[in-house]
Amino acid sequence: MIPAIGITMGDAAGIGPEVIIKALEEPEIYEICRPIVIGDAKILKRAATISDSKVVIHTIEDTEEAKSQHGIIDCINLDLLPEDIVFGEVSAVAGDAAYQFIEKAITLAKARKIQAICTAPLNKEALVKGGHDFSGHTEILATLTETADYSMMLSSPKLKVIHLTTHVGLKKAIDLINPERTHTVIELADKALKRAGYKEPSIAVCGINPHAGENGLFGEGEEEEKLVPAIREAQAQGINVSGPHPADTVFFRAVRGDFDIVVACYHDQGHVPIKVLGLEEGVNITVGLNHGIIRTSVDHGTAFDIAGKNIADNRSMVAALQSAAELAPK
């Protein structure tokens, strides 16, 4: 039986509803999963009109009512939004609704009614205005699943990256890195790739400083203190990990095929190479959630500047659904 994937609608003032409609117009999606949108039916209908789509929005209350048929989009309708919500504007109502869509998806995943979650983008400012003080999807998911050890993985056809830290300032990010966190993320990367079919994934750890510290020439010994002990411990466990490697060359080497995944130390160190390679095909994956929950996401934001204009690209959403179907328990 192919997996049921819960698709959270994201921020209704952005491009989330539109890219969902466009992605679910692709017939091959229904060959690999049973997509169920968790959101607002009337907003999806508006997005379908804007996208010149002929799909039918099928409102349901439970996953068992889903038709799982191309041309019909099943939607668990939480009915939290006004029909005329303004595109491109930060809205507390939209931020609160985006949070509640995720909360509903977690409930369904815990009950095994869906086998994975795929999220459309939310707006962090709207989220906070809506009463939910989180920096992003990853932190919400970790809180709702009571998960302590998790990480953000970015995946594209040529490169995979997993992060030691994400949505914090650079100075705080370096303070947060320690051998325990580094070892945890190396293990998460190893387990995630093995689950995806890699027999012995090759993992490269980025240095924190230029040239990975150049034997103490740059920085204050952060590599030796925060990274090296964890790498050695993981190697002793049999994990195929190496580093620290200079960040200015390790991503090139990974794209060339030397490594299957790169451990990035902070947000931009990992995000920039993925996005340079192609924003349209990037997928955001939350690794290590409790209850065995798989979560993938588009690797782009709400794009308020183009929302409602029928120019949003669906490729990252298609890739996210494909990754969710691949990683979901069968």
Side-chain angles (χ1 to χ4, degrees):
M1 189 174 184
I2 61 175
I5 309 296
I7 308 169
T8 57
M9 202 178 72
D11 193 303
I15 63 172
E18 183 180 334
V19 295
I20 289 171
I21 294 291
K22 292 180 177 182
L24 296 184
E25 285 186 311
E26 306 290 342
E28 60 266 27
I29 294 299
Y30 289 81
E31 296 173 5
I32 60 172
C33 70
R34 293 176 289 132
I36 299 170
V37 180
I38 301 160
D40 194 299
K42 59 183 173 294
I43 300 298
L44 286 179
K45 289 176 182 177
R46 181 175 73 161
T49 299
I50 290 167
S51 303
D52 298 321
S53 175
K54 305 301 182 186
V55 298
V56 174
I57 308 302
H58 177 225
T59 301
I60 61 176
E61 294 185 4
D62 194 88
T63 57
E64 296 173 356
E65 301 169 34
K67 293 185 179 294
S68 303
Q69 179 182 332
H70 180 247
I72 298 175
I73 296 180
D74 298 302
C75 175
I76 293 180
N77 182 29
L78 300 192
D79 195 20
L80 300 171
L81 295 158
E83 188 172 4
D84 59 350
I85 193 162
V86 180
F87 287 116
E89 290 188 7
V90 174
S91 161
V93 173
D96 175 56
Y99 176 87
Q100 292 195 52
F101 300 153
I102 301 165
E103 191 172 48
K104 178 66 173 179
I106 290 292
T107 299
L108 293 171
K110 286 180 178 179
R112 302 291 188 265
K113 292 190 173 186
I114 56 175
Q115 283 68 60
I117 298 169
C118 181
T119 59
L122 52 72
N123 179 280
K124 295 178 181 64
E125 184 181 353
L127 186 69
V128 173
K129 283 190 173 182
H132 308 286
D133 192 9
F134 292 94
S135 56
H137 267 117
T138 305
E139 293 75 18
I140 295 172
L141 290 157
T143 298
L144 292 177
T145 58
E146 294 132 5
T147 302
D149 295 328
Y150 62 91
S151 184
M152 176 189 291
M153 178 189 292
L154 301 180
S155 178
S156 73
K158 294 182 180 179
L159 178 66
K160 288 181 173 60
V161 178
I162 191 168
H163 294 72
L164 297 181
T165 66
T166 49
H167 297 118
V168 294
L170 184 56
K171 183 177 179 181
K172 186 174 181 181
I174 294 171
D175 289 340
L176 287 173
I177 299 169
N178 56 47
E180 293 75 24
R181 173 61 179 168
T182 304
H183 182 261
T184 293
V185 173
I186 291 170
E187 282 194 318
L188 289 173
D190 187 60
K191 290 176 182 176
L193 265 61
K194 284 178 177 174
R195 180 172 186 167
Y198 293 75
K199 290 184 177 179
E200 190 181 351
S202 176
I203 303 168
V205 179
C206 269
I208 297 171
N209 295 295
H211 301 282
E214 194 81 46
N215 296 316
L217 184 61
F218 305 117
E220 299 178 359
E222 288 88 355
E223 282 76 15
E224 290 295 325
E225 174 192 348
K226 298 171 177 286
L227 305 178
V228 171
I231 294 169
R232 289 176 178 165
E233 183 181 354
Q235 289 170 338
Q237 293 175 241
I239 295 175
N240 183 16
V241 58
S242 61
H245 297 279
D248 60 356
T249 55
V250 71
F251 295 103
F252 166 78
R253 293 182 61 193
V255 170
R256 186 175 64 185
D258 294 358
F259 309 111
D260 295 313
I261 190 167
V262 178
V263 177
C265 294
Y266 51 89
H267 183 281
D268 285 10
Q269 189 181 61
H271 279 61
V272 169
I274 286 282
K275 294 187 177 183
V276 166
L277 286 171
L279 197 67
E280 304 87 359
E281 296 180 299
V283 179
N284 184 325
I285 304 167
T286 305
V287 178
L289 293 174
N290 286 338
H291 311 286
I293 293 174
I294 299 298
R295 176 261 179 167
T296 67
S297 178
V298 294
D299 189 30
H300 59 70
T302 49
F304 277 178
D305 57 323
I306 64 170
K309 298 179 181 178
N310 194 23
I311 57 176
D313 194 308
N314 75 344
R315 282 178 289 177
S316 186
M317 177 58 77
V318 169
L321 285 165
Q322 291 170 336
S323 291
E326 177 188 0
L327 295 171
K330 306 298 186 291

